[in-house]
Amino acid sequence: MERPALSFITFALRRSTGLLPPLCSRTLNSRWYCASVPRPIVAEAIDAVTRLELHVNRWPHTLGVSYLWLRDHCRCPECYNYITNQRKLDMQKIPLNIRPASVKATREALEIQWPDGHKSKYEYKFLWQNTYEGRQTSRKRSQRLWNANTFPKENLTTVPLMDIKNPDKNGLKCLISSIVTHGFGCISGVPQDVDGTREVVEEICPVKPTLFGSMWSFQADYEHADTAYSDEYLGAHTDTTYLSEACRIQVFHCLEQAAEGGETILVDGFNVAQQFHDRHPEGYAFLSKAAIPSEYIGDGQHMFCLDTVLKHNPATGDLIQFRYNIYDRAPLASIPVGKMQEFYLHMRNLGKIVQNSRNEHWLKLQPGTLLLIDNWRVMHGRNKYSGPRVMGGCYLDNDGFTSKARTLEVALD
C-alpha cells in the first residue's frame, strides 16, 4: 500500500507583535525558514521513516521522536483523562508501523493528523521535557558532594520553623532543596517534644510507621533490639537496610543532650562512592551487582532484605542509593565461595573510605533543631556517651518525600 505523502510546515513568529506570517510549505524532507526579527521562533520537522526529526531554534539540538511515541503520548481528551491524569488510549491499538498523514509546526506546538483522521497536538516544551534525548540534555544534577572540609555552611541548610509555616517564605521548598542538594537539612526553633516534631515533619508528608512505631524517642535502655538503644559508639551507616525499600528520610531531634559525648557523625555516602569508584573501579562494579543480605531480629520480628550496596537509576545509570550498614548484615549466603575473597576485599576497601576522618563531619545536635537526613545518601553515627540522652524522631518514605518535592517544583536528580 502506498504511504500518504507528508506535508511538513515550518514558520517563524514575530514575538514583538504576536502576528503570524503566512504559512509556507515545502515537500517532504525540505527545509524552509521565514526569517523575522527580533529572534523569530523557528520550527523544523523532517520525516525519518520511523521517527520525526524535530528542531526548534531554542533547542541545543534536534530531537528524534518516534512516531509510536508521538501517537502513544497524544494528550487530547480522547486519549488522556485530565480529571485523573491517566491515559485512556490502549497501546495495543497503535500499529507498529504507524506514520502521520500530515505534520504541521505552528507557533506553539506540533500538530499531527494520523491516517485514521485522529488529530494530536504537542507543545514543544512537553516534547523537550518528556523525550529521552531532551531530558538527557537538560538534566543537571543538583547534588553537591561534600567532605569534612567542604561541609556546607549552616545558612545553606537550616530553615527557621516560622519560614516552614509561612508559604510566602518558601521555607519548605528551601528545606527540601537542601536535602536534595546536600543530603540533609535542618529546621530550627522546633518545640522540644515528640508531638512538636511530628507536626513540623508532617508539613512534608505523613510519617512512615515502622517496627519502632510512627514517632519514636529512645535512650540507652535496649527497648528494641538495636544498637541505637545503647550508649555505645556507632560508626557511619544508613538505616533500615533490612527493608525491601529503605526509609528515605530519617529525622533526628535531640530532646536531651548527654552529659558527655553523644556527638553525631555525618558522612556523604555519594562522595564515598565517587572516591571508591575512582580508586577501586572493579570493587565499585562488584558491589553494584552483588546482593548483600541484611536483617533485623527482635521484638517478635524477623525482617530481611537482599540488595546491593550501590543502586543505580535504570535509565541514566546515576547512583541513586548507597546502602551501607555493617551492623545489620545477615549471614552471607548470597556470595559463592569462589567470590568470597573478592567480596571481603572490596568491602574492606569501601570501609576504609567510609571511616576516613577526611570524610567525617562531627556535630553536637541541639534541642529545638531537627536534622533531616537523606538515608539513601548520607550516613550517620554517634560517639559513645555517658549520662541521660534522649533522641526523638521518625522516618519518611521515598514516595511521600519525592511527591512533595515535585509539587514544590524542586528538581530531583
Side-chain angles (χ1 to χ4, degrees):
M1 179 181 297
E2 184 178 353
R3 290 176 175 170
L6 305 187
S7 174
F8 287 16
I9 299 176
T10 61
F11 76 96
L13 167 67
R14 294 182 186 271
R15 296 183 65 205
S16 58
T17 62
L19 299 177
L20 289 177
L23 293 179
C24 304
S25 62
R26 285 291 183 271
T27 57
L28 184 63
N29 291 338
S30 65
R31 300 185 180 189
W32 188 91
Y33 298 91
C34 293
S36 63
V37 290
R39 293 199 63 193
I41 297 175
V42 180
E44 180 184 23
I46 301 174
D47 173 52
V49 185
T50 62
R51 68 183 185 275
L52 185 71
E53 296 291 336
L54 181 66
H55 185 72
V56 176
N57 64 328
R58 300 194 175 183
W59 294 352
H61 59 76
T62 297
L63 286 185
V65 190
S66 161
Y67 289 137
L68 277 166
W69 187 98
L70 285 166
R71 184 63 190 91
D72 182 43
H73 287 77
C74 177
R75 287 302 191 256
C76 79
E78 293 181 38
C79 299
Y80 193 81
N81 188 327
Y82 282 90
I83 297 176
T84 64
N85 293 308
Q86 291 178 302
R87 297 171 186 259
K88 296 168 65 176
L89 176 65
D90 183 357
M91 182 174 60
Q92 299 293 334
K93 297 180 180 179
I94 305 176
L96 291 177
N97 62 346
I98 192 168
R99 296 180 75 220
S102 66
V103 177
K104 182 169 65 174
T106 72
R107 64 177 181 175
E108 296 177 346
L110 182 75
E111 296 182 358
I112 292 181
Q113 182 170 333
W114 301 99
D116 62 359
H118 188 85
K119 295 181 179 180
S120 302
K121 182 177 181 179
Y122 312 87
E123 293 184 358
Y124 298 127
K125 181 178 180 181
F126 173 82
L127 294 173
W128 182 257
Q129 291 181 342
N130 293 286
T131 53
Y132 179 83
E133 290 81 1
R135 181 166 289 186
Q136 287 293 102
T137 299
S138 58
R139 186 171 61 94
K140 296 180 180 179
R141 303 211 76 181
S142 58
Q143 295 167 349
R144 299 290 183 269
L145 307 188
W146 50 264
N147 57 30
N149 291 327
T150 60
F151 191 79
K153 302 296 184 183
E154 183 178 340
N155 66 310
L156 298 176
T157 60
T158 302
V159 181
L161 176 60
M162 63 181 68
D163 289 358
I164 297 290
K165 295 289 189 179
N166 187 347
D168 296 333
K169 294 287 188 177
N170 287 323
L172 192 56
K173 183 174 183 178
C174 291
L175 174 70
I176 292 178
S177 295
S178 175
I179 297 173
V180 171
T181 302
H182 305 294
F184 71 95
C186 298
I187 307 174
S188 61
V190 178
Q192 298 174 29
D193 55 59
V194 171
D195 290 338
T197 302
R198 177 195 283 272
E199 182 180 350
V200 176
V201 169
E202 289 188 337
E203 294 285 336
I204 300 174
C205 65
V207 171
K208 178 181 177 64
T210 66
L211 59 94
F212 304 106
S214 296
M215 298 296 299
W216 34 258
S217 63
F218 65 90
Q219 50 191 322
D221 57 7
Y222 281 103
E223 180 183 355
H224 291 281
D226 194 290
T227 312
Y229 289 77
S230 73
D231 57 9
E232 300 175 22
Y233 168 85
L234 275 175
H237 63 280
T238 62
D239 266 23
T240 61
T241 53
Y242 45 77
L243 297 182
S244 56
E245 181 177 86
C247 299
R248 181 64 189 267
I249 303 298
Q250 183 158 10
V251 180
F252 286 116
H253 189 182
C254 181
L255 303 177
E256 182 179 348
Q257 286 185 331
E260 183 177 353
E263 297 86 358
T264 295
I265 179 177
L266 299 178
V267 176
D268 188 345
F270 281 12
N271 185 34
V272 166
Q274 183 63 60
Q275 294 176 50
F276 185 55
H277 177 274
D278 294 343
R279 299 176 193 176
H280 308 284
E282 68 290 344
Y284 189 97
F286 185 96
L287 295 179
S288 296
K289 297 177 181 178
I292 312 302
S294 300
E295 65 183 354
Y296 177 97
I297 302 175
D299 309 309
Q301 306 278 350
H302 188 171
M303 297 188 174
F304 181 91
C305 181
L306 192 65
D307 212 335
T308 58
V309 174
L310 302 161
K311 298 186 68 172
H312 299 82
N313 184 306
T316 66
D318 292 333
L319 181 67
I320 58 172
Q321 188 175 358
F322 185 81
R323 297 170 58 96
Y324 183 87
N325 191 315
I326 62 173
Y327 304 100
D328 290 339
R329 289 193 303 116
L332 191 59
S334 57
I335 304 294
V337 65
K339 297 285 186 179
M340 199 63 69
Q341 199 79 9
E342 190 177 0
F343 165 78
Y344 281 101
L345 170 64
H346 298 321
M347 284 297 290
R348 283 167 61 91
N349 286 335
L350 177 61
K352 289 177 183 178
I353 301 175
V354 171
Q355 296 172 16
N356 190 319
S357 61
R358 288 177 293 182
N359 293 321
E360 300 176 343
H361 177 80
W362 289 88
L363 70 157
K364 189 83 169 181
L365 296 181
Q366 301 296 322
T369 297
L370 293 190
L371 172 64
L372 297 92
I373 299 172
D374 183 350
N375 185 56
W376 285 19
R377 170 182 169 182
V378 172
M379 292 175 281
H380 67 279
R382 65 137 193 270
N383 208 354
K384 180 179 175 62
Y385 67 91
S386 60
R389 180 179 184 266
V390 181
M391 294 293 297
C394 60
Y395 294 111
L396 307 179
D397 69 14
N398 176 60
D399 293 329
F401 172 72
T402 55
S403 174
K404 177 59 72 171
R406 293 187 189 96
T407 59
L408 292 176
E409 299 183 340
V410 175
L412 296 168
D413 294 311

